PDB file of all heavy atoms in Angstrom:
ATOM      1  N   VAL A  80       2.069  48.778  69.678  1.00 98.00           N
ATOM      2  CA  VAL A  80       2.931  49.161  70.793  1.00 98.00           C
ATOM      3  C   VAL A  80       3.797  50.358  70.399  1.00 98.00           C
ATOM      4  O   VAL A  80       3.897  51.354  71.126  1.00 98.00           O
ATOM      5  CB  VAL A  80       3.807  47.978  71.240  1.00 98.00           C
ATOM      6  CG1 VAL A  80       4.851  48.439  72.250  1.00 98.00           C
ATOM      7  CG2 VAL A  80       2.949  46.880  71.831  1.00 98.00           C
ATOM      8  N   ILE A  81       4.390  50.267  69.221  1.00 97.00           N
ATOM      9  CA  ILE A  81       5.204  51.395  68.752  1.00 97.00           C
ATOM     10  C   ILE A  81       4.352  52.655  68.686  1.00 97.00           C
ATOM     11  O   ILE A  81       4.730  53.720  69.166  1.00 97.00           O
ATOM     12  CB  ILE A  81       5.807  51.087  67.363  1.00 97.00           C
ATOM     13  CG1 ILE A  81       6.780  49.915  67.455  1.00 97.00           C
ATOM     14  CG2 ILE A  81       6.507  52.308  66.805  1.00 97.00           C
ATOM     15  CD1 ILE A  81       7.401  49.528  66.126  1.00 97.00           C
ATOM     16  N   GLU A  82       3.183  52.495  68.105  1.00 96.00           N
ATOM     17  CA  GLU A  82       2.309  53.658  67.954  1.00 96.00           C
ATOM     18  C   GLU A  82       1.960  54.262  69.312  1.00 96.00           C
ATOM     19  O   GLU A  82       1.911  55.473  69.466  1.00 96.00           O
ATOM     20  CB  GLU A  82       1.051  53.229  67.210  1.00 96.00           C
ATOM     21  CG  GLU A  82       0.289  54.363  66.565  1.00 96.00           C
ATOM     22  CD  GLU A  82      -0.885  53.817  65.758  1.00 96.00           C
ATOM     23  OE1 GLU A  82      -0.634  52.961  64.882  1.00 96.00           O
ATOM     24  OE2 GLU A  82      -2.038  54.207  66.027  1.00 96.00           O
ATOM     25  N   SER A  83       1.725  53.403  70.280  1.00 97.00           N
ATOM     26  CA  SER A  83       1.364  53.907  71.602  1.00 97.00           C
ATOM     27  C   SER A  83       2.514  54.669  72.245  1.00 97.00           C
ATOM     28  O   SER A  83       2.301  55.607  73.015  1.00 97.00           O
ATOM     29  CB  SER A  83       0.968  52.757  72.524  1.00 97.00           C
ATOM     30  OG  SER A  83       0.055  51.893  71.898  1.00 97.00           O
ATOM     31  N   LEU A  84       3.723  54.233  71.953  1.00 97.00           N
ATOM     32  CA  LEU A  84       4.867  54.771  72.694  1.00 97.00           C
ATOM     33  C   LEU A  84       5.608  55.887  71.975  1.00 97.00           C
ATOM     34  O   LEU A  84       6.294  56.675  72.607  1.00 97.00           O
ATOM     35  CB  LEU A  84       5.842  53.645  73.031  1.00 97.00           C
ATOM     36  CG  LEU A  84       5.273  52.594  73.990  1.00 97.00           C
ATOM     37  CD1 LEU A  84       6.271  51.477  74.207  1.00 97.00           C
ATOM     38  CD2 LEU A  84       4.930  53.262  75.315  1.00 97.00           C
ATOM     39  N   GLU A  85       5.506  55.941  70.681  1.00 95.00           N
ATOM     40  CA  GLU A  85       6.189  57.054  70.019  1.00 95.00           C
ATOM     41  C   GLU A  85       5.373  57.637  68.878  1.00 95.00           C
ATOM     42  O   GLU A  85       5.937  58.256  67.994  1.00 95.00           O
ATOM     43  CB  GLU A  85       7.587  56.648  69.523  1.00 95.00           C
ATOM     44  CG  GLU A  85       7.655  55.369  68.733  1.00 95.00           C
ATOM     45  CD  GLU A  85       9.089  54.999  68.354  1.00 95.00           C
ATOM     46  OE1 GLU A  85       9.979  55.147  69.213  1.00 95.00           O
ATOM     47  OE2 GLU A  85       9.304  54.596  67.219  1.00 95.00           O
ATOM     48  N   GLY A  86       4.077  57.478  68.959  1.00 92.00           N
ATOM     49  CA  GLY A  86       3.225  58.095  67.955  1.00 92.00           C
ATOM     50  C   GLY A  86       3.204  57.321  66.657  1.00 92.00           C
ATOM     51  O   GLY A  86       3.914  56.332  66.500  1.00 92.00           O
ATOM     52  N   PRO A  87       2.394  57.787  65.714  1.00 93.00           N
ATOM     53  CA  PRO A  87       2.213  57.067  64.462  1.00 93.00           C
ATOM     54  C   PRO A  87       3.515  56.880  63.713  1.00 93.00           C
ATOM     55  O   PRO A  87       4.413  57.712  63.780  1.00 93.00           O
ATOM     56  CB  PRO A  87       1.249  57.947  63.666  1.00 93.00           C
ATOM     57  CG  PRO A  87       1.151  59.220  64.404  1.00 93.00           C
ATOM     58  CD  PRO A  87       1.560  58.965  65.806  1.00 93.00           C
ATOM     59  N   VAL A  88       3.620  55.761  63.019  1.00 93.00           N
ATOM     60  CA  VAL A  88       4.833  55.417  62.282  1.00 93.00           C
ATOM     61  C   VAL A  88       4.778  56.041  60.896  1.00 93.00           C
ATOM     62  O   VAL A  88       3.905  55.703  60.106  1.00 93.00           O
ATOM     63  CB  VAL A  88       4.974  53.888  62.154  1.00 93.00           C
ATOM     64  CG1 VAL A  88       6.173  53.547  61.288  1.00 93.00           C
ATOM     65  CG2 VAL A  88       5.100  53.255  63.512  1.00 93.00           C
ATOM     66  N   TYR A  89       5.699  56.961  60.644  1.00 93.00           N
ATOM     67  CA  TYR A  89       5.809  57.546  59.316  1.00 93.00           C
ATOM     68  C   TYR A  89       7.236  57.429  58.834  1.00 93.00           C
ATOM     69  O   TYR A  89       8.150  57.880  59.500  1.00 93.00           O
ATOM     70  CB  TYR A  89       5.422  59.030  59.341  1.00 93.00           C
ATOM     71  CG  TYR A  89       3.989  59.280  59.670  1.00 93.00           C
ATOM     72  CD1 TYR A  89       3.630  60.107  60.723  1.00 93.00           C
ATOM     73  CD2 TYR A  89       2.972  58.703  58.916  1.00 93.00           C
ATOM     74  CE1 TYR A  89       2.302  60.360  61.027  1.00 93.00           C
ATOM     75  CE2 TYR A  89       1.653  58.941  59.204  1.00 93.00           C
ATOM     76  CZ  TYR A  89       1.317  59.772  60.263  1.00 93.00           C
ATOM     77  OH  TYR A  89      -0.003  60.007  60.551  1.00 93.00           O
ATOM     78  N   LEU A  90       7.414  56.806  57.678  1.00 94.00           N
ATOM     79  CA  LEU A  90       8.767  56.694  57.145  1.00 94.00           C
ATOM     80  C   LEU A  90       9.316  58.048  56.743  1.00 94.00           C
ATOM     81  O   LEU A  90      10.515  58.273  56.753  1.00 94.00           O
ATOM     82  CB  LEU A  90       8.776  55.756  55.934  1.00 94.00           C
ATOM     83  CG  LEU A  90       8.816  54.266  56.238  1.00 94.00           C
ATOM     84  CD1 LEU A  90       9.023  53.465  54.979  1.00 94.00           C
ATOM     85  CD2 LEU A  90       9.942  53.974  57.219  1.00 94.00           C
ATOM     86  N   THR A  91       8.426  58.954  56.357  1.00 94.00           N
ATOM     87  CA  THR A  91       8.840  60.298  55.962  1.00 94.00           C
ATOM     88  C   THR A  91       7.813  61.292  56.483  1.00 94.00           C
ATOM     89  O   THR A  91       6.669  60.914  56.753  1.00 94.00           O
ATOM     90  CB  THR A  91       8.901  60.444  54.429  1.00 94.00           C
ATOM     91  OG1 THR A  91       7.575  60.318  53.916  1.00 94.00           O
ATOM     92  CG2 THR A  91       9.776  59.391  53.803  1.00 94.00           C
ATOM     93  N   PRO A  92       8.199  62.555  56.601  1.00 92.00           N
ATOM     94  CA  PRO A  92       7.262  63.568  57.081  1.00 92.00           C
ATOM     95  C   PRO A  92       5.980  63.610  56.255  1.00 92.00           C
ATOM     96  O   PRO A  92       4.883  63.694  56.797  1.00 92.00           O
ATOM     97  CB  PRO A  92       8.037  64.878  56.925  1.00 92.00           C
ATOM     98  CG  PRO A  92       9.462  64.490  56.917  1.00 92.00           C
ATOM     99  CD  PRO A  92       9.527  63.116  56.343  1.00 92.00           C
ATOM    100  N   CYS A  93       6.129  63.496  54.923  1.00 91.00           N
ATOM    101  CA  CYS A  93       4.961  63.687  54.069  1.00 91.00           C
ATOM    102  C   CYS A  93       3.976  62.542  54.189  1.00 91.00           C
ATOM    103  O   CYS A  93       2.859  62.641  53.678  1.00 91.00           O
ATOM    104  CB  CYS A  93       5.377  63.845  52.607  1.00 91.00           C
ATOM    105  SG  CYS A  93       5.979  62.326  51.864  1.00 91.00           S
TER     106      CYS A  93
END
Side-chain angles (χ1 to χ4, degrees):
Chain A
V80 171
I81 296 179
E82 200 176 305
S83 312
L84 295 177
E85 49 184 42
V88 175
Y89 294 125
L90 278 188
T91 66
C93 71

